[in-house]
Amino acid sequence: MLKLVNISKDYIAGDMITHALVDINLEFRTNEFVSILGPSGCGKTTMLNVIGGLDKYQKGDLLLGDKSTKDFRDSEWDSYRNATIGFVFQNYNLITHLSVLDNVEIALTLSGVSSAERKKRAKKALIDVGLEDQISKKPNQLSGGQMQRVAIARALVNNPKILLADEPTGSVDSKTSKGILDLLKEISKDQLVIMVTHNIKLAEQYSDRIINLHDGRVIDDSKTYDKKDEVNFIEKLKNKKISMSFLTALKSSFKNLISKKSRTIITAIAGSIGIIGVALVLALSFGMTQYVDSMQSDTLAGFPLAINPKVSATSNMMTGPRDRMNEASGQSSGSNEFPTDGIINPYDSSTDVTSHSNIISAEYLRYIDGLDKNLYNSISYTRAVALNLIIKTESGGYIKAGTSSSSDPRQMFFSNGYFNEIPNNREFIELQYDLLGSQSRYPEAYNEVVLIVDKENNIDVEFLEEFGIIVKNKFELNDFIGMEFKVIGNDDYYKQINNVFVVGSDYEAMHNSENSLTLKITGIMRVKESASSEILSDGIGYTTMLTDKAIENAEGSAIVVAQSENQDKNVLTGQSFTGFTTYESIMRLIGGDNIPTGMQIYPVSFDAKDEIKAYLDEYNYGKDDDTKIIYTDLAEMISGTISSLINTITVILAAFAAISLLVSSIMIGIITYVSVVERTKEIGILRSIGARKKDISRVFIAEAIIIGFTAGIIGVALTVVLILPINIVIERLIDISNFASLPLLQGLGLIAISVGLTFVAGLIPSRIAAKKDPVVALRID
């Protein structure tokens, strides 16, 4: 059944060559007890290792039945050891961190046997060798004879055809030796047992056949093989695919790590340092992002997406509109950047202006109505109607107050106008502004307005003078509540002289006209302390209801009728319209056209702003340049700067933390290599029962992954604990509670990263482990 044909094996050390086996020719029966005798160094163990597939012969052939093993691949040798061979070693070679049952079971895990079947067969094997009461113990809790019986049970559990025993009684007393040999003798009735021993007396007492070796050669064989003894062994030697599942590798590695608890915990804590660093950076970054997000509505409220009647941008300012205007005209903003033609071109910076006129149509207004209302706080429309104010001063005189077109976003930055429309979103305004004084209330009708003061309750002297209020050192809040002034209708404000309309001069008559609209201050507003910007200009704020009322009253006025009937000349000057002053602009000024000239969209957040911009851009697809609507993102520069700053800080801090994470991973790789060195004998044991190189690699990869997982858990847990005092310190410094926090998904992600890095760190040590010679590994003490 088993035949060695001219087998030779040499060991080379430098210039020295040792002939371990020389032209060995032997045949073995299906079931017999064979003892191999000889002095130390004669090649007995080498022969056993060659028969068992642990060591490779260099010349000759090893036949299994009629099947040659010359061309066996590693996987075939692994399957052969697992299915055909059972090893029993002098030093037992049990895996110390596994229980007795697990040691016996491990050979079956490579054979793909189910868990329940493995336990059943392993327990039976232990019962057969008389160890049914030692199943749960660890090897170091057993006597030498008991450990050898465990080794025999492990060798038999997979029902091998050949049992190889290398000095099985060398480490036990004579009484125990007798018991072990009795067991091997019983086994040899059904299987081939080949035993290496120095004990001639025991060999002669128990063996069916004795082979003597000397200097690697067979010098005597007491019972040579006879062909009539041959049994059809070919069927019995069918190799099967073997594999250690990753779960089994995890189990083995976990038990090994548990056996070294202190070192494992210290390693995991050291490995967690990098995770803690990255986690803290992410927690602070997340807190910063959350803090910025909480301020976004306030910040963006002061910097809306503005659609103005005329958009202009030079090369060194408002690059967003410039890029969008280039896109609208089909030009590339970077088409002339970084030229390579070697030419320097002079240009006039004063003429480097791009301009575009936005013509807002009813179609565009309907399109804006389709914008998701969850994306913005409010939309304020610019209408060019002039609201004509006449003020009765405290001294009894009448003056005309300076006015401005409603809701022009440029007023927030450049205008000194004190009479402005407020966004048509009461909830949003009240979120940003406080009402001062017990009598203050928000305007609820077209004729109600509010006085807006700055953060220090200041009001400009110029405003007081313009509205006819005598300047004093200080005012009470109620001094302004109930104050009245009037908006004058077109028919009272304009007087027709021939075909031209001019502003009248009788302010008292205008003021006392029954057609005038009386406005009353009903409240005083100041920006909230929590708001990051002031969206309303100081002075008088009125609602869109007043604008609508003024346009309604102006529809039938003489000046509007006259202008609508004469669309070629400006009724205010009597001259023809120019490119700057058009029929449409005059009609809007005098209230004859209610279509907005512009609008301001106040997003709820930076992300919402981007969605709104995408929606606005979509309108322009396929449109002619003249009909496209170009918006100005007044928050674009600030938004980009803040985001860039946060991202830069996060990346820099994360890079520093990642260095410690990398160092931790390298350390875990080194620790895994140390484990490879410590578990070298275990590698040899696993290879002897048929474990593939891939399976050995898997064991140490599993160990690295367990350490990485533990390090990740510890790192995230310690980060959560550290966040508590960090938040206390931050709250004392900047008065923001619960600033830093680590989201669940980021925590899980860090654990996954830790596992991934340790997996990579374990690749090299696991590869080293897989390449270890099993024969050399088994010799390691």
Side-chain angles (χ1 to χ4, degrees):
M1 68 169 256
L2 175 66
K3 186 175 182 180
L4 279 64
V5 180
N6 297 325
I7 292 289
S8 295
K9 172 70 178 179
D10 296 334
Y11 290 111
I12 301 173
D15 295 332
M16 183 180 294
I17 300 176
T18 301
H19 302 293
L21 297 176
V22 180
D23 294 328
I24 301 295
N25 288 280
L26 290 171
E27 290 187 67
F28 298 93
R29 297 170 180 83
T30 303
N31 56 309
E32 62 177 336
F33 192 158
V34 181
S35 290
I36 300 177
L37 301 178
S40 296
C42 70
K44 301 186 300 297
T45 299
T46 300
M47 180 185 289
L48 217 62
N49 289 335
V50 168
I51 292 172
L54 282 177
D55 218 346
K56 304 292 178 63
Y57 55 86
Q58 291 158 330
K59 294 180 182 178
D61 197 2
L62 188 151
L63 301 174
L64 305 174
D66 293 328
K67 186 175 183 180
S68 171
T69 61
K70 277 185 177 181
D71 299 321
F72 262 27
R73 300 186 302 272
D74 285 345
S75 60
E76 290 177 295
W77 282 117
D78 295 335
S79 297
Y80 165 69
R81 286 194 301 274
N82 183 257
T84 305
I85 301 295
F87 277 98
V88 179
F89 302 98
Q90 176 182 354
N91 295 322
Y92 327 124
N93 285 344
L94 301 178
I95 299 174
T96 57
H97 59 266
L98 297 181
S99 69
V100 168
L101 183 64
D102 288 336
N103 266 282
V104 177
E105 230 184 291
I106 194 164
L108 296 172
T109 62
L110 298 170
S111 304
V113 179
S114 67
S115 177
E117 180 65 17
R118 287 202 308 264
K119 290 192 182 327
K120 179 181 176 182
R121 287 169 59 175
K123 286 178 181 178
K124 183 180 182 304
L126 287 166
I127 291 171
D128 290 343
V129 297
L131 291 176
E132 62 269 22
D133 56 343
Q134 308 294 325
I135 286 177
S136 300
K137 290 184 178 180
K138 292 290 180 66
N140 58 10
Q141 295 174 298
L142 304 179
S143 66
Q146 288 173 324
M147 284 193 283
Q148 193 61 284
R149 286 176 179 270
V150 173
I152 293 172
R154 180 182 63 193
L156 294 175
V157 72
N158 222 10
N159 193 26
K161 309 304 175 291
I162 304 170
L163 187 68
L164 304 177
D166 189 3
E167 298 281 4
T169 61
S171 300
V172 295
D173 56 45
S174 58
K175 182 180 179 182
T176 305
S177 295
K178 184 178 182 305
I180 292 171
L181 288 171
D182 285 338
L183 183 58
L184 292 177
K185 182 67 176 178
E186 185 65 25
I187 293 168
S188 68
K189 292 179 181 179
D190 299 310
Q191 295 162 293
L192 170 61
V193 176
I194 303 175
M195 178 179 72
V196 166
T197 182
H198 287 90
N199 196 319
I200 299 174
K201 183 178 179 181
L202 288 177
E204 291 175 344
Q205 182 179 349
Y206 288 96
S207 301
D208 301 322
R209 177 182 177 188
I210 296 176
I211 298 172
N212 280 285
L213 289 184
H214 186 74
D215 291 338
R217 299 175 185 273
V218 176
I219 59 173
D220 184 56
D221 187 347
S222 66
K223 189 178 181 182
T224 57
Y225 179 78
D226 192 329
K227 284 189 176 183
K228 68 181 182 179
D229 300 323
E230 186 175 9
V231 176
N232 184 7
F233 192 61
I234 298 175
E235 292 297 320
K236 295 183 178 182
L237 292 179
K238 285 184 177 177
N239 285 351
K240 54 187 175 182
K241 185 177 181 181
I242 61 170
S243 176
M244 176 187 287
S245 70
F246 191 70
L247 186 61
T248 301
L250 280 174
K251 181 180 177 182
S252 174
S253 295
F254 179 75
K255 290 185 176 181
N256 175 60
L257 292 172
I258 288 296
S259 69
K260 306 178 182 71
K261 296 186 193 71
S262 299
R263 191 180 76 180
T264 300
I265 292 172
I266 291 172
T267 302
I269 291 174
S272 71
I273 293 173
I275 293 294
I276 293 171
V278 175
L280 286 176
V281 170
L282 290 176
L284 290 170
S285 174
F286 182 77
M288 177 62 76
T289 302
Q290 290 292 97
Y291 177 65
V292 169
D293 285 345
S294 69
M295 297 174 62
Q296 281 179 356
S297 181
D298 293 335
T299 302
L300 290 172
F303 301 94
L305 290 170
I307 299 173
N308 298 322
K310 186 78 70 174
V311 182
S312 62
T314 64
S315 60
N316 59 359
M317 65 177 293
M318 297 176 69
T319 57
R322 180 180 180 86
D323 292 341
R324 283 185 284 276
M325 281 184 272
N326 285 332
E327 291 171 6
S329 61
Q331 300 175 14
S332 172
S333 60
S335 58
N336 295 321
E337 292 180 351
F338 310 110
T340 58
D341 56 8
I343 303 299
I344 297 177
N345 303 297
Y347 84 106
D348 185 353
S349 61
S350 64
T351 61
D352 184 25
V353 178
T354 305
S355 180
H356 175 81
S357 295
N358 285 324
I359 307 299
I360 295 179
S361 63
E363 175 196 359
Y364 191 72
L365 292 176
R366 287 192 298 272
Y367 183 77
I368 293 298
D369 286 340
L371 180 63
D372 186 351
K373 292 179 173 53
N374 294 318
L375 298 177
Y376 60 87
N377 287 313
S378 69
I379 298 179
S380 179
Y381 292 95
T382 300
R383 284 173 291 190
V385 58
L387 298 178
N388 309 306
L389 295 178
I390 298 296
I391 309 296
K392 184 176 182 181
T393 66
E394 292 183 354
S395 60
Y398 297 89
I399 60 173
K400 181 176 70 170
T403 62
S404 61
S405 300
S406 63
S407 303
D408 188 340
R410 290 170 296 180
Q411 292 168 5
M412 290 185 287
F413 306 100
F414 309 116
S415 174
N416 287 322
Y418 297 108
F419 191 61
N420 298 287
E421 184 181 275
I422 58 180
N424 187 25
N425 190 325
R426 176 173 177 174
E427 181 180 354
F428 172 58
I429 296 299
E430 289 183 332
L431 186 66
Q432 307 292 322
Y433 280 79
D434 287 319
L435 284 165
L436 305 181
S438 58
Q439 298 183 30
S440 286
R441 63 179 178 81
Y442 197 85
E444 297 177 350
Y446 74 86
N447 60 342
E448 295 179 344
V449 297
V450 289
L451 173 65
I452 302 162
V453 298
D454 68 11
K455 296 178 181 179
E456 299 177 351
N457 283 17
N458 292 329
I459 190 71
D460 198 332
V461 170
E462 186 178 343
F463 161 78
L464 297 175
E465 292 173 347
E466 189 165 314
F467 278 77
I469 302 170
I470 297 175
V471 179
K472 299 188 294 186
N473 290 332
K474 63 181 179 179
F475 293 88
E476 299 292 333
L477 293 175
N478 292 337
D479 290 344
F480 293 98
I481 301 296
M483 185 177 293
E484 296 181 350
F485 45 92
K486 293 191 176 185
V487 173
I488 309 304
N490 283 349
D491 287 340
D492 292 319
Y493 190 74
Y494 294 104
K495 301 299 180 183
Q496 183 173 4
I497 302 175
N498 296 322
N499 293 325
V500 178
F501 287 80
V502 297
V503 178
S505 58
D506 190 349
Y507 297 152
E508 181 177 1
M510 295 181 192
H511 186 275
N512 295 328
S513 172
E514 61 181 14
N515 295 321
S516 62
L517 302 177
T518 301
L519 306 184
K520 180 187 293 186
I521 297 176
T522 61
I524 301 175
M525 297 176 65
R526 181 185 64 202
V527 70
K528 288 186 175 182
E529 187 176 354
S530 59
S532 62
S533 62
E534 298 180 64
I535 66 169
L536 304 179
S537 300
D538 296 348
I540 301 298
Y542 60 90
T543 68
T544 56
M545 291 183 287
L546 177 59
T547 306
D548 293 337
K549 183 67 174 177
I551 292 175
E552 179 186 343
N553 291 347
E555 285 179 349
S557 63
I559 188 172
V560 169
V561 172
Q563 186 63 79
S564 63
E565 292 176 349
N566 188 358
Q567 300 184 14
D568 296 327
K569 289 188 177 182
N570 184 346
V571 296
L572 292 174
T573 62
Q575 298 177 354
S576 299
F577 290 113
T578 64
F580 181 77
T581 303
T582 63
Y583 167 78
E584 290 80 9
S585 65
I586 296 300
M587 284 294 284
R588 288 169 181 163
L589 178 69
I590 61 179
D593 187 346
N594 63 359
I595 295 179
T597 57
M599 64 184 70
Q600 299 77 47
I601 305 173
Y602 297 86
V604 297
S605 68
F606 287 144
D607 291 337
K609 179 198 71 174
D610 292 335
E611 290 189 52
I612 294 172
K613 288 168 66 174
Y615 184 81
L616 297 179
D617 290 337
E618 190 176 344
Y619 176 83
N620 290 327
Y621 293 157
K623 295 228 174 4
D624 295 334
D625 293 347
D626 293 340
T627 58
K628 289 181 179 179
I629 305 296
I630 307 301
Y631 58 85
T632 302
D633 183 2
L634 300 176
E636 193 166 38
M637 186 179 298
I638 295 176
S639 169
T641 301
I642 292 175
S643 298
S644 177
L645 180 62
I646 293 174
N647 291 337
T648 300
I649 293 173
T650 300
V651 168
I652 291 173
L653 293 177
F656 280 109
I659 293 173
S660 63
L661 187 59
L662 180 61
V663 172
S664 299
S665 300
I666 293 173
M667 183 201 67
I668 289 174
I670 294 172
I671 295 297
T672 304
Y673 176 72
V674 171
S675 181
V676 170
V677 174
E678 290 179 343
R679 299 174 70 183
T680 298
K681 174 153 282 194
E682 182 181 340
I683 294 170
I685 295 168
L686 291 172
R687 292 303 306 278
S688 73
I689 60 176
R692 304 168 301 168
K693 291 180 179 180
K694 193 180 296 184
D695 297 324
I696 300 300
S697 178
R698 190 172 287 172
V699 167
F700 292 97
I701 287 292
E703 183 169 315
I705 286 175
I706 291 172
I707 294 175
F709 180 76
T710 306
I713 292 288
I714 292 174
V716 170
L718 288 177
T719 299
V720 172
V721 173
L722 289 172
I723 282 174
L724 298 177
I726 288 173
N727 280 337
I728 292 173
V729 172
I730 291 175
E731 185 172 6
R732 289 180 178 176
L733 291 175
I734 60 176
D735 196 27
I736 300 175
S737 61
N738 299 320
F739 183 85
S741 62
L742 184 67
L744 177 62
L745 287 178
Q746 288 190 358
L748 294 176
L750 286 172
I751 294 173
I753 289 172
S754 179
V755 170
L757 287 174
T758 51
F759 168 78
V760 173
L763 287 176
I764 294 177
S766 67
R767 189 173 180 83
I768 293 172
K771 289 184 174 182
K772 282 190 176 293
D773 187 328
V775 174
V776 175
L778 286 168
R779 291 178 187 154
I780 300 295
D781 292 328

